[in-house]
Amino acid sequence: MKYAGVIVDISHEKLDKTFQYAIPDELAESVDIGTRVNIPFGSTRRTGYVVEITDTPEIEPDRIKPLAGVAARSVPIDERMIKLAYWMKTNYGSTVIRALQTVIPVKDSVKNAVKRTVSLAVTKDEAVLLLQECFAKRRSAQARVLDALIKDGESDYSLLSCKLNISPSAFKTLEQKGIINIGSTTVYRNSLHVSEDKVAVRFLNPEQRCISEDIIFGYDSGDMTPCLIKGVTGSGKTEIYMEIIEHIIKKGREAIVLIPEIALTYQTVMRFYRRFGDIVSVINSRLSNGEKYDRFCMAREGKIKIMIGPRSALFTPFKNIGLIVMDEEHESAYQSENIPRYHARETAIELARMTGAKVVMGSATPSLEAFYRAKKGTYKLYRLDRRAGEGRLPAVDIVDLREELKKGNRSMFSGRLTELMRDRLSKGEQIMLFLNRRGYRGFVNCRDCGEVIECPHCAVSLTLHNNRMLKCHYCGYEQEAVKVCPKCGSKHIGTFKAGTQMVEEELHRYFPDAAVLRMDADTTKGKESHGDILEKFASKKADILVGTQMIVKGHDFPDVTLVGVLLADGSLYSSDYRAAENTFELLTQAAGRAGRGKNPGNVVIQTYNPDNYSIVHASRQDYDSFYEEEIVYRELMDYPPVSHMMSVRLSSPDENEAERLSALVAGAVRVSESFENTRVIGPADAPIHKINDIFHKMIYYKNKSRDDLARIKDYIEAYIKNNPRLFGGCLVQFDFR
Ligand code: ADP
Ligand code: ZN
Ligand code: ZN
């Protein structure tokens, strides 16, 4: 008799262990490690995952219940992914089932996996006319669909939508207009003929060739040291990735390409399609479960060999992964905000270790962690210091806003910025204006007493919208704008600093003829995705794009020759030890947007801290000097990457309880002799100490050894488990840096 160790599909600490079931003969064939099974559990029935199979019963065999069957429509987990899930549980804190759920992005196979197809409902000639109309009206998504259908004929719906980055609504519009038919067929047809327009392979320049050959040589000789390419924006990193991918595919293996969702644009994806054709697929958060399932199946069956996507693309069930590329390595989106709070970099390296794959990271502004390891030799470091194609690095001016005020300029645009904007508008060149979200939050305060209007449920200020409503960005609370100060009665109350909306209004005042597009969390919540807005800007429908962090990342607009950072200081004041790193990264990335085409670019950085080292080094795009200065601070303070850091967030609806319990947790580790080398800081209020009427406390642990911190996590988890009555009403979350 064989026995299966099963993890029950419920996330609860008490159930965070395997339960043993007998495998009846009739299931012996179909049950394997990773199979999702039905099990009798207490008086009910549950599902769970088989994580081990053994001959040895844990208790008397006749007391072990048999499995009830294999769960219907279930997707099995690869054994390797189970190992990865356990690794995530150990390293980030999680129940096993939650870790398992993370590595299987789709749980159920989709009912009657019908393939949908798209075809023209009009003649080709009519389609060509319609295509021209779409171009004229700049309906570019519809134009792409028409263009593809004219060239390729009937196509697979999900492939087409993913290749061309088309939303379901664009298809629906075309269908409603009677231009296309969306049909369904149960036969799978891979009907995209991309190979026709595959472009000739570009020749790499000597610097690029040197790097790609060295990495390929390392790969071929079995040296799987992770690599970091530190290359300025536009230096040709993506071309290098593609060169290495091509080699790995030729060797019969597969590649995962991680790109932060925000940089996963149509242009980027298309570059991979043009080079590799149908073996490329993309996943992103907008896909339905059915579409994700389809793509994962194709990967498992070997129909897809390159998967591009955000961090969850790591869990693509390839049989033979040879390479994991991680573009924009520094991006904070690579860390999951859900439990387990895994970081894609560490997880990719672990996955690569398990599968014998190579990891190649790239960034213009590597995270301090990655660069520190590269300098120590844990990663192999490569550099690209100049742009590959056209375009030179821009000229940067730092403007001291205190001086502007002295000159009597009270607008958001300094003299230098205004002058350059006039110049670019007159030449028909494009401008990007960037606002550090944390700086200009549009909060309302009293000029007389300083009172700031805050959310009654969260410890954050409310933000003014349309001059009418005050809103909370954390919990959604709304109230009418106030006319007088609730504290002192003064009428001098209003927005102190402006949001993107205010910038837009000021632009209309100072530059009435300029066409302005705005992109922030508000404008992208509606119908238009940020992709749509960027596309409008790319097709030159606007002269100026105003936005928050979102516009800074990885987009390539050759006609942008001026980037203005309206206030650089915002992120300097956050309570995070990475404040300077974040500021440097944002400014460098923002500056990298200018002058990517033929015309040289200018960048204007407006600030109240013109001497701050992160601003000065960013203005020179001088990563190395920034790194040298920043690492001294990290060493002094024992911050990562010099030490490892774990934070514990304890949340409770009762403020006193949050205080008491977090003190207990901190104290438990402080007195334990086995953790002598650990610095314990706190407990203290979380940066935002109250969200939605829940109170949050933080405790930080610093240690040179990551494993020691993982042991502390286990210790705290056990401590909490052993005191269920105390900790019953609170939530404890771990986070590793
Ligand atoms: P990165 O990924 O470092 O930002 P890309 O690979 O996107 O850089 O390259 C930036 C631009 O330079 C792209 O338009 C690309 O087509 C072009 N480019 C890259 N390598 C070369 C090369 N060897 N010769 C000419 N142009 C190149
Ligand atoms: Zn007041
Ligand atoms: Zn709130």
Side-chain angles (χ1 to χ4, degrees):
M1 194 60 160
K2 296 240 183 231
Y3 301 93
V6 175
I7 293 281
V8 187
D9 198 352
I10 313 170
S11 197
H12 194 288
E13 271 82 47
K14 281 205 192 104
L15 300 180
D16 196 24
K17 58 181 181 207
T18 55
F19 292 85
Q20 210 175 37
Y21 290 88
I23 306 177
D25 287 341
E26 68 270 20
L27 292 180
E29 292 275 290
S30 43
V31 169
D32 214 336
I33 287 183
T35 308
R36 189 148 149 244
V37 287
N38 294 322
I39 45 170
F41 195 77
S43 55
T44 59
R45 235 192 205 206
R46 297 278 181 188
T47 58
Y49 289 96
V50 176
V51 293
E52 62 187 11
I53 293 180
T54 154
D55 295 319
T56 347
E58 279 166 6
I59 51 172
E60 279 159 52
D62 40 320
R63 284 177 51 216
I64 301 181
K65 291 184 202 161
L67 294 174
V70 173
R73 297 190 291 114
S74 68
V75 183
I77 317 180
D78 297 339
E79 196 170 346
R80 200 183 59 211
M81 286 301 165
I82 295 178
K83 285 203 189 115
L84 193 65
Y86 272 93
W87 178 86
M88 282 162 62
K89 171 200 157 62
T90 312
N91 280 279
Y92 298 103
S94 163
T95 56
V96 176
I97 190 67
R98 273 186 105 140
L100 285 173
Q101 285 160 348
T102 306
V103 301
I104 28 162
V106 273
K107 193 150 124 183
D108 297 318
S109 64
V110 180
K111 255 184 243 163
N112 316 320
V114 222
K115 306 289 172 194
R116 282 188 292 172
T117 55
V118 189
S119 57
L120 285 173
V122 295
T123 65
K124 264 200 180 177
D125 293 341
E126 285 170 315
V128 171
L129 288 177
L130 287 165
L131 175 63
Q132 280 156 3
E133 191 185 315
C134 284
F135 275 131
K137 296 194 173 152
R138 299 199 194 266
R139 294 187 187 130
S140 68
Q142 296 184 23
R144 295 204 298 268
V145 175
L146 279 175
D147 186 49
L149 291 178
I150 292 167
K151 282 199 190 120
D152 301 338
E154 191 178 85
S155 300
D156 181 88
Y157 180 95
S158 76
L159 272 174
L160 198 64
S161 77
C162 115
K163 175 195 170 200
L164 305 176
N165 208 359
I166 306 288
S167 66
S169 68
F171 281 116
K172 206 167 268 167
T173 311
L174 283 165
E175 191 185 25
Q176 278 162 358
K177 286 186 187 162
I179 300 172
I180 61 167
N181 286 322
I182 299 178
S184 51
T185 160
T186 36
V187 190
Y188 175 74
R189 262 179 299 171
N190 196 2
S191 45
L192 271 183
H193 309 294
V194 205
S195 45
E196 282 165 30
D197 56 318
K198 261 198 207 176
V199 287
V201 176
R202 190 193 302 282
F203 286 107
L204 298 184
N205 66 32
E207 289 90 347
Q208 287 169 306
R209 178 141 303 282
C210 201
I211 296 174
S212 73
E213 281 180 359
D214 195 69
I215 293 176
I216 288 171
F217 178 79
Y219 175 86
D220 284 345
S221 45
D223 173 5
M224 293 301 163
T225 313
C227 301
L228 171 67
I229 306 173
K230 183 201 166 298
V232 294
T233 37
S235 58
K237 297 184 290 295
T238 308
E239 295 293 328
I240 298 179
Y241 306 148
M242 291 200 285
E243 196 75 10
I244 303 168
I245 291 169
E246 180 150 337
H247 180 80
I248 264 121
I249 303 286
K250 273 195 198 130
K251 295 264 164 174
R253 299 181 75 179
E254 295 117 4
I256 294 171
V257 181
L258 301 181
I259 296 182
E261 182 130 26
I262 205 154
L264 199 56
T265 57
Y266 169 66
Q267 287 99 322
T268 317
V269 172
M270 244 2 236
R271 281 173 75 182
F272 284 88
Y273 271 107
R274 283 205 204 93
R275 175 118 173 210
F276 298 106
D278 288 2
I279 59 167
V280 175
S281 188
V282 180
I283 54 163
N284 60 45
S285 61
R286 280 176 298 153
L287 294 179
S288 68
N289 277 342
E291 288 167 312
K292 279 185 197 158
Y293 175 72
D294 272 4
R295 284 168 205 188
F296 281 133
C297 279
M298 288 170 74
R300 186 173 278 137
E301 290 158 17
K303 288 182 183 133
I304 286 169
K305 295 188 188 307
I306 301 169
M307 182 63 95
I308 306 177
R311 54 170 196 263
S312 61
L314 270 181
F315 309 120
T316 308
F318 281 134
K319 290 252 152 56
N320 202 1
I321 304 172
L323 176 72
I324 304 172
V325 169
M326 191 172 179
D327 194 28
E328 312 280 352
E329 169 281 325
H330 59 273
E331 262 299 319
S332 59
Y334 277 129
Q335 180 161 35
S336 171
E337 58 276 8
N338 305 317
I339 296 175
R341 287 181 45 88
Y342 69 97
H343 195 292
R345 185 194 330 107
E346 297 165 10
T347 311
I349 289 172
E350 175 61 18
L351 178 63
R353 199 189 57 74
M354 285 166 43
T355 54
K358 187 103 179 153
V359 174
V360 175
M361 298 167 272
S363 172
T365 51
S367 65
L368 268 256
E369 279 83 0
F371 202 66
Y372 180 74
R373 283 177 207 147
K375 286 206 137 184
K376 285 204 321 197
T378 314
Y379 305 158
K380 193 157 186 188
L381 180 64
Y382 300 93
R383 285 168 181 277
L384 280 173
D385 292 325
R386 57 182 189 94
R387 285 188 172 172
E390 304 174 311
R392 273 161 289 146
L393 292 176
V396 183
D397 289 296
I398 298 181
V399 173
D400 186 344
L401 286 175
R402 293 168 303 188
E403 295 297 318
E404 291 295 313
L405 203 62
K406 275 188 207 152
K407 286 183 211 153
N409 179 2
R410 291 179 175 277
S411 85
M412 295 173 194
F413 315 115
S414 61
R416 177 68 178 147
L417 184 59
T418 309
E419 171 196 337
L420 287 168
M421 282 171 70
R422 290 243 147 79
D423 173 70
R424 300 304 140 97
L425 289 171
S426 74
K427 291 182 189 154
E429 294 172 5
Q430 287 182 300
I431 300 166
M432 281 170 102
L433 293 181
F434 161 65
L435 218 118
N436 204 336
R437 185 190 36 155
R438 278 167 283 203
Y440 280 123
R441 250 207 304 226
F443 62 84
V444 173
N445 80 340
C446 171
R447 309 263 154 114
D448 286 326
C449 78
E451 171 82 353
V452 173
I453 312 292
E454 285 194 348
C455 172
H457 310 288
C458 312
V460 296
S461 49
L462 294 172
T463 307
L464 188 66
H465 285 255
N466 294 323
N467 278 322
R468 230 169 28 82
M469 297 303 290
L470 290 169
K471 290 189 194 174
C472 171
H473 280 201
Y474 284 87
C475 72
Y477 169 87
E478 276 187 38
Q479 68 172 59
E480 289 216 13
V482 290
K483 298 259 173 351
V484 293
C485 171
K487 197 168 161 206
C488 75
S490 158
K491 282 192 184 124
H492 299 280
I493 187 159
T495 44
F496 178 61
K497 286 167 176 171
T500 38
Q501 238 175 359
M502 286 273 276
V503 179
E504 196 181 5
E505 282 162 25
E506 253 193 47
L507 281 171
H508 288 316
R509 190 140 61 93
Y510 289 97
F511 305 93
D513 298 328
V516 179
L517 271 174
R518 175 164 69 94
M519 183 157 119
D520 55 28
D522 281 338
T523 58
T524 52
K525 248 184 227 145
K527 262 208 199 109
E528 276 187 319
S529 69
H530 70 260
D532 295 335
I533 298 175
L534 292 170
E535 210 164 87
K536 267 192 193 164
F537 190 59
S539 57
K540 298 203 75 174
K541 271 185 122 171
D543 306 300
I544 304 176
L545 175 63
V546 182
T548 51
Q549 263 83 338
M550 283 181 199
I551 64 172
V552 178
K553 312 287 182 178
H555 307 292
D556 197 348
F557 301 110
D559 291 315
V560 171
T561 55
L562 174 61
V563 169
V565 180
L566 296 179
L567 182 69
D569 314 21
S571 53
L572 279 180
Y573 300 123
S574 74
S575 52
D576 193 332
Y577 70 90
R578 286 167 306 179
E581 181 178 356
N582 290 339
T583 305
F584 177 82
E585 178 216 312
L586 270 172
L587 294 181
T588 313
Q589 299 277 347
R593 300 302 116 216
R596 305 201 50 149
K598 282 192 197 77
N599 301 319
N602 279 83
V603 177
V604 177
I605 298 177
Q606 306 189 145
T607 172
Y608 290 102
N609 295 279
D611 304 322
N612 181 283
Y613 68 106
S614 58
I615 293 176
V616 171
H617 294 314
S619 76
R620 299 187 187 131
Q621 307 234 335
D622 184 355
Y623 180 89
D624 292 83
S625 302
F626 170 73
Y627 175 85
E628 293 305 333
E629 229 168 296
E630 180 67 11
I631 203 75
V632 171
Y633 157 71
R634 304 283 176 100
E635 264 161 9
L636 213 66
M637 303 296 293
D638 256 343
Y639 277 130
V642 180
S643 259
H644 289 275
M645 190 156 100
M646 173 178 79
S647 66
V648 174
R649 168 189 282 260
L650 191 142
S651 316
S652 164
D654 180 337
E655 189 167 18
N656 290 329
E657 189 135 310
E659 208 150 291
R660 206 160 47 83
L661 294 176
S662 54
L664 273 180
V665 170
V669 174
R670 274 201 182 97
V671 297
S672 165
E673 279 170 17
S674 37
F675 302 127
E676 269 180 345
N677 297 326
T678 308
R679 269 168 83 171
V680 184
I681 297 135
D685 281 344
I688 298 164
H689 80 272
K690 181 169 77 159
I691 300 174
N692 242 331
D693 293 318
I694 306 273
F695 295 87
H696 302 272
K697 297 279 171 189
M698 304 293 292
I699 312 162
Y700 296 94
Y701 301 85
K702 295 185 204 167
N703 193 305
K704 293 260 192 263
S705 151
R706 176 73 157 73
D707 292 344
D708 277 357
L709 288 181
R711 284 198 301 119
I712 294 177
K713 172 189 68 67
D714 293 343
Y715 180 83
I716 295 173
E717 276 177 340
Y719 181 76
I720 289 170
K721 221 181 212 168
N722 292 336
N723 294 286
R725 246 184 278 149
L726 270 179
F727 290 95
C730 75
L731 177 73
V732 177
Q733 279 172 285
F734 297 90
D735 186 6
F736 286 87
R737 297 278 177 213

